[in-house]
């Protein structure tokens, strides 16, 4: 949906790993809302996220994810909702 696209298009705008991680969480929340949000499993979220990324026309999605993984090493970030 439009909320998903709006959220994922913020990924390249973010300059920090935490900002990119928050963007991905917002994207997953938008996907979950579109899927019904009642206990949505990762088995449902991941295919929807992959499909969204494939069709979102991001310039370098793999680089965005690599940056986030590389620089988001603080375990405290991974223990809250942003670490989903």
């Amino acid at each position: 949906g439009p909320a998903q696209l709006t959220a994922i298009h913020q990924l390249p705008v973010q300059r920090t790993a935490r900002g990119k991680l928050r963007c991905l969480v917002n994207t997953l929340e938008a996907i979950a809302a579109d899927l019904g949000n009642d206990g949505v499993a990762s088995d449902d979220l991941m295919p929807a996220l992959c499909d969204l990324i494939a069709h979102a026309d991001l310039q370098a999605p793999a680089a965005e994810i690599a940056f986030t993984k590389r620089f988001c090493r603080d375990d405290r970030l991974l223990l809250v909702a942003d670490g989903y």
Side-chain angles (χ1 to χ4, degrees), residues 28 31-46 48 84:
L28 287 169
I31 292 170
D34 285 352
L35 292 176
N37 208 18
D38 292 338
V40 177
S42 61
D43 288 346
D44 298 320
L45 283 174
M46 290 311 295
Y84 183 6

Side-chain angles (χ1 to χ4, degrees), residues 8-37:
I8 198 68
H9 281 141
Q10 291 302 306
L11 191 60
V13 175
Q14 300 300 316
R15 298 289 180 219
T16 65
R18 185 179 183 96
K20 290 180 184 294
L21 189 58
R22 185 73 228 154
C23 174
L24 290 169
V25 169
N26 291 342
T27 302
L28 287 169
E29 289 173 349
I31 292 170
D34 285 352
L35 292 176
N37 208 18

Side-chain angles (χ1 to χ4, degrees), residues 63-77:
E64 298 290 351
I65 301 302
F67 175 93
T68 305
K69 284 178 66 176
R70 170 70 175 94
F71 294 107
C72 197
R73 295 288 185 194
D74 188 343
D75 289 340
R76 290 174 293 160
L77 290 177

